[in-house]
Amino acid sequence: MSGSTGRPLGRRTFVLGSAAAAGTAALTGPLAGTASAASFGWSDDGSNYVVDTGASLVFKVSKTNGDLTSLVYKGTEYQGYGGKNSHVESGLGTSTVTIAQSGTTILISVAYGTLKHYYAARSGENNVYLWTNKADSSVTATRYIVRVKAGLFLNDEPDSYTYAPTVIESADVFEKSDGQTRAKHYSKLRVMDYSYIGWTTGSVGLWIVRSNHEKASGGPFYRSLLRHQSADGGGLYEILYYGENQTESERYGLQGPYVIALTDGGAPSSSLYPGTLTTSWADSLGISGYVSASGRGRVAGVGITGRDTAYAYTVGLANSAAQYWGSARSSDGYFSVAGVLPGTYTLTVFKGELAVYTGSVSVSAGATTTLNTIAVPSSNDPSNASAIWRINNWDGTPGGFKNADLMTYAHPSDVRAAAWTGNVIIGSGTETSAFPCYLWKDVNSGIVVYFKLTAAQAAAAHTLRIGVTTAYANGRPQVVVNDTWTSAVPSPPTQPSTRSLTVGSYRGNNYTFTYSVPASAWLTDTSAYNTLKIYVASGSGTTAYLSAGTAIDAIDLLA
């Protein structure tokens, strides 16, 4: 199950309960001080620091490597599958692990080289707060994984169930006997679509609430693995940096808090959601890289004009150090992005997932930068160009094309996918739904689009545009018109170098290929269909669905 605030980060303010909201003094020594709940405190069992939250949660952290070795809620152990602990990446190795308590807060600090990781507990709460600070590339740390014992929760997202008899790709994509595919990659969700991920029995819920991802990479539309289940148990992920189909360099610094939350079956409290979590109690904990609310700023936009109101608009802020985003209000385009680290950012307005405006904005600590109305130039939205015909609308996604929805949670070879071949006739009414969302050199290269032109249209040269959202192995479209005119092979734009189309992601770098087709290429018989054949050009890739390929946003012939 997943949850979403459905609002931009920073648009709401929640305050945690009195115990959680109380400020703390500087931490002192490894002594279990007086707590507001009778059982709140910590102990040392020789191998682990044992933390009792004074509610229904007791957890243990290894004194050797900082692994979470036990997670007991109401007497039931939830931690562990396959004999593995919960930890950063696949475990950090020998680390320096310390513990300290101040009033209603316990903090466990883990140091492994330049990497620092933290666990915090609050009196009376069934939550574990986590932060991870990766300072440089000397340590591989791309995730925190909560490993959950098998048999405790039903698998309500079967597409991410990774136990299937046949491996069909890279030892991490599987096929069942009925032809359906499974992989831990198949999450369906973009980062902006969820606030938490996890499972519930109806009486017990185990969740991981994501951080605001300010030090992650890829932006609001990025997709990565979130959870999976297998015969040995389940994994819940907070991705700190995921290199697959990545469009940005890795950012360094503190990420968090993200929260392991145990409930009586319901969703985690919305007060834990990114952008709403108040952590003033953490201001004085001494967490490396921590910046309090007073050291952050806010960007507020009066509105956005020039929008296509049929689409949602998102405003993103990004520089080499941090990233943020917020939704634009549908009525007028107002937006607000709070909790932003000081600095100068590139501001991007997205129609759907297509960038239609970029600018610059500076943010100062403790201040709000107010922006006047942003006007999106008509020419920045390719949908505004007059076209003889258009397949799909331009929104930066392949949504609407054949198999597009399925591809966020299945492999292209999945039995549920419609045939990847099949030609398209302009004017049929099924142009978009019949056109495949992905094209591969070894699967369906050479798709044909049939269309008619008037005498006046056939007498003129026209520009053909093909928009793509990502590509694998430098796949890019080369076109042939009426078997007489062939375009040059275009140069490949910059795209991620890893798998994409087969692991549930179409999100790369949006790019538009343009082809100037001369009047001599068209048929002069207005009753005859012209043909446009779209091939995939590239010498890279292997075979089948790992041959060179690309994801399509829209195709049109301009008037």
Side-chain angles (χ1 to χ4, degrees):
M1 299 182 69
S2 63
S4 173
T5 63
R7 305 187 185 189
L9 299 184
R11 287 288 298 278
R12 298 182 292 172
T13 301
F14 287 83
V15 179
L16 298 178
S18 58
T24 60
L27 294 176
T28 58
L31 299 176
T34 302
S36 58
S39 59
F40 177 71
W42 65 271
S43 60
D44 183 340
D45 70 3
S47 300
N48 306 279
Y49 291 122
V50 183
V51 178
D52 188 330
T53 67
S56 301
L57 177 63
V58 178
F59 65 92
K60 297 180 181 181
V61 174
S62 167
K63 295 166 57 180
T64 301
N65 57 19
D67 283 4
L68 183 69
T69 60
S70 177
L71 190 69
V72 175
Y73 180 66
K74 293 187 175 181
T76 298
E77 176 67 77
Y78 287 88
Q79 148 58 38
Y81 71 77
K84 298 179 180 180
N85 297 322
S86 300
H87 39 218
V88 174
E89 194 56 16
S90 296
L92 293 177
T94 302
S95 306
T96 300
V97 184
T98 58
I99 190 169
Q101 178 177 338
S102 177
T104 57
T105 303
I106 294 171
L107 182 72
I108 297 175
S109 303
V110 181
Y112 179 77
T114 61
L115 184 138
K116 296 186 171 47
H117 179 70
Y118 303 90
Y119 301 89
R122 298 282 291 158
S123 177
E125 294 187 14
N126 293 313
N127 303 318
V128 183
Y129 298 87
L130 303 95
W131 290 262
T132 305
N133 188 336
K134 182 180 178 182
D136 52 46
S137 61
S138 63
V139 178
T140 298
T142 59
R143 66 185 182 184
Y144 189 92
I145 179 170
V146 181
R147 301 186 186 272
V148 183
K149 292 176 67 175
L152 296 177
F153 297 100
L154 294 175
N155 181 20
D156 61 344
E157 288 290 345
D159 297 292
S160 63
Y161 188 80
T162 59
Y163 182 77
T166 304
V167 178
I168 61 172
E169 184 178 301
S170 299
D172 61 5
V173 182
F174 306 88
E175 184 179 69
K176 294 174 57 184
S177 58
D178 63 3
Q180 291 192 15
T181 54
R182 301 287 187 262
K184 63 184 180 182
H185 306 285
Y186 298 149
S187 67
K188 299 183 182 179
L189 302 175
R190 307 170 301 177
V191 174
M192 68 179 295
D193 293 332
Y194 72 97
S195 292
Y196 59 88
I197 203 79
W199 298 290
T200 181
T201 65
S203 58
V204 174
L206 174 56
W207 318 95
I208 189 163
V209 183
R210 71 167 175 85
S211 69
N212 67 354
H213 279 223
E214 70 181 0
K215 296 293 185 178
S217 299
F221 315 123
Y222 190 67
R223 298 174 188 267
S224 66
L225 69 162
L226 301 179
R227 63 176 173 177
H228 78 277
Q229 286 185 316
S230 68
D232 297 325
L236 301 179
Y237 297 85
E238 165 71 345
I239 297 299
L240 308 177
Y241 176 76
Y242 195 53
E244 198 149 56
N245 206 37
Q246 183 58 254
T247 58
E248 295 184 298
S249 299
E250 184 171 8
R251 293 181 172 96
Y252 299 114
L254 184 69
Q255 300 207 63
Y258 48 103
V259 187
I260 302 170
L262 281 298
T263 72
D264 290 336
S269 170
S270 59
S271 63
L272 300 176
Y273 293 177
T276 65
L277 177 58
T278 300
T279 54
S280 56
W281 51 265
D283 290 357
S284 59
L285 295 183
I287 294 172
S288 174
Y290 181 90
V291 179
S292 67
S294 63
R296 297 170 177 271
R298 174 173 168 261
V299 175
V302 171
I304 303 171
T305 60
R307 293 173 298 120
D308 181 340
T309 56
Y311 292 87
Y313 281 69
T314 302
V315 177
L317 307 178
N319 61 22
S320 61
Q323 61 169 10
Y324 306 91
W325 58 83
S327 297
R329 193 160 61 193
S330 60
S331 59
D332 56 9
Y334 167 84
F335 62 91
S336 175
V337 184
V340 180
L341 292 171
T344 299
Y345 294 84
T346 297
L347 181 151
T348 305
V349 176
F350 297 93
K351 169 198 172 186
E353 298 183 17
L354 183 67
V356 293
Y357 174 90
T358 59
S360 181
V361 63
S362 293
V363 179
S364 301
T368 295
T369 301
T370 302
L371 303 177
N372 294 325
T373 298
I374 293 174
V376 176
S378 177
S379 59
N380 284 15
D381 184 348
S383 295
N384 291 329
S386 178
I388 296 172
W389 53 259
R390 177 170 291 139
I391 306 176
N392 214 4
N393 203 0
W394 296 80
D395 70 350
T397 83
F401 282 129
K402 183 166 61 175
N403 295 325
D405 290 342
L406 179 66
M407 288 302 95
T408 63
Y409 61 94
H411 190 270
S413 65
D414 195 290
V415 68
R416 292 170 289 181
W420 287 103
T421 54
N423 301 322
V424 175
I425 300 175
I426 300 299
S428 65
T430 60
E431 297 93 335
T432 298
S433 61
F435 197 97
C437 63
Y438 298 163
L439 299 177
W440 291 271
K441 185 175 184 178
D442 206 31
V443 175
N444 56 355
S445 183
I447 288 284
V448 183
V449 178
Y450 294 91
F451 60 96
K452 293 180 179 180
L453 296 176
T454 66
Q457 291 167 344
H462 297 285
T463 296
L464 173 75
R465 303 187 301 184
I466 301 178
V468 303
T469 68
T470 194
Y472 176 69
N474 286 328
R476 65 269 198 198
Q478 182 182 25
V479 301
V480 176
V481 176
N482 290 322
D483 293 325
T484 59
W485 183 86
T486 301
S487 73
V489 177
S491 299
T494 300
Q495 296 288 5
S497 58
T498 61
R499 288 180 298 166
S500 54
L501 309 182
T502 60
V503 291
S505 179
Y506 58 76
R507 177 77 271 126
N509 294 311
N510 286 100
Y511 185 83
T512 302
F513 294 92
T514 60
Y515 310 83
S516 298
V517 184
S520 59
W522 310 123
L523 300 180
T524 56
D525 182 353
T526 59
S527 65
Y529 280 103
N530 289 267
T531 60
L532 168 69
K533 294 181 180 178
I534 305 174
Y535 295 91
V536 177
S538 176
S540 304
T542 56
T543 60
Y545 300 104
L546 288 178
S547 63
T550 191
I552 306 298
D553 176 12
I555 306 171
D556 57 21
L557 185 67
L558 299 186

